[in-house]
Amino acid sequence: MIFRAFDREVVFTDVEASSLDKGSFPVEIGWCLDDDAGPDSFLISLSGEWDTEFGWSPISQAVHGLQLNELYRDGIDVHEAVQRMEAVFAGRVVVSDNAAFDDHWIDMVYEAARHPRPWTVTPLDDVYRLAAAAGHVDAATFVRAIHAVEAIHPHPHRAAPDAFRMARKVRALADVDFRNRLLDPAGYAGGPVPRA
């Protein structure tokens, strides 16, 4: 399902970073436009402007599981990263559950590529409200639906599955049929759904 807000399609994004400290930089960007089609992502090769000595955290590495040599080997450069983001994000509402950080890290890619960015990242909570209104969701059902998605789709701290998880949460709020199947005690996606 492609969700629309503010008269545009919504694309969910997640950014994995080298750390949460001041010198951090983005290492992976993922997105999901249509949860039926699934998510996509890419690793980012390090820009010469980013300092791996002070900006890389072993703690963050343990969370997302990415290593510096993977970025050098499999990452795309910032120019290609901007092209790929523009192809997906331009003209859409770009949404994240960590909008301030993700907006900052995406901005770093655009700055390193010397490319202006005409869009910003919108907080997921703004879209939650619209989705809940579209699906006529009360507070208790909101919580049950979000918890059901979290039970089925864990938070692996990788960009593509985390973006997909956001898309599924919004769908669980906006799409009544999907939510009813999700909350059916008989189960969804091959197994019982824990009750919140």
Side-chain angles (χ1 to χ4, degrees):
M1 174 183 129
I2 297 177
F3 186 72
R4 293 184 64 87
F6 313 110
D7 297 322
R8 290 179 288 156
E9 293 178 341
V10 171
V11 58
F12 301 90
T13 190
D14 183 73
V15 181
E16 297 301 325
S18 63
S19 78
L20 295 177
D21 297 327
K22 186 176 180 182
S24 67
F25 50 85
V27 298
E28 182 182 40
I29 297 177
W31 63 89
C32 185
L33 173 64
D34 180 353
D35 66 317
D36 287 327
D40 201 356
S41 67
F42 56 80
L43 299 178
I44 303 170
S45 185
L46 305 185
S47 165
E49 301 172 14
W50 304 339
D51 187 341
T52 57
E53 183 178 350
F54 296 105
W56 187 263
S57 164
I59 296 169
S60 292
Q61 178 178 318
V63 171
H64 53 58
L66 295 168
Q67 299 181 18
L68 279 171
N69 65 344
E70 288 180 81
L71 303 179
Y72 289 119
R73 184 186 69 226
D74 301 328
I76 62 175
D77 70 35
V78 292
H79 300 285
E80 184 178 348
V82 165
Q83 289 176 351
R84 290 192 65 184
M85 283 190 283
E86 283 297 300
V88 177
F89 297 163
R92 295 186 167 112
V93 180
V94 182
V95 173
S96 168
D97 60 359
N98 196 358
F101 278 101
D102 288 353
D103 193 64
H104 167 70
W105 288 318
I106 289 171
D107 209 38
M108 289 182 72
V109 178
Y110 276 76
E111 286 176 4
R114 308 292 188 264
H115 194 288
R117 181 167 62 112
W119 50 269
T120 59
V121 179
T122 299
L124 180 60
D125 286 346
D126 293 356
V127 175
Y128 272 167
R129 285 190 285 277
L130 296 172
H136 308 289
V137 177
D138 60 45
T141 304
F142 182 105
V143 171
R144 286 181 58 223
I146 296 298
H147 284 206
V149 172
E150 290 173 348
I152 295 169
H153 303 286
H155 192 187
H157 296 285
R158 289 299 302 268
D162 288 352
F164 178 74
R165 185 176 191 242
M166 282 182 265
R168 279 284 153 114
K169 287 180 180 181
V170 168
R171 183 172 188 172
L173 299 175
D175 182 338
V176 176
D177 290 338
F178 180 83
R179 183 173 63 248
N180 288 342
R181 286 185 287 123
L182 181 72
L183 298 177
D184 184 332
Y188 173 80
V193 177
R195 295 291 179 175

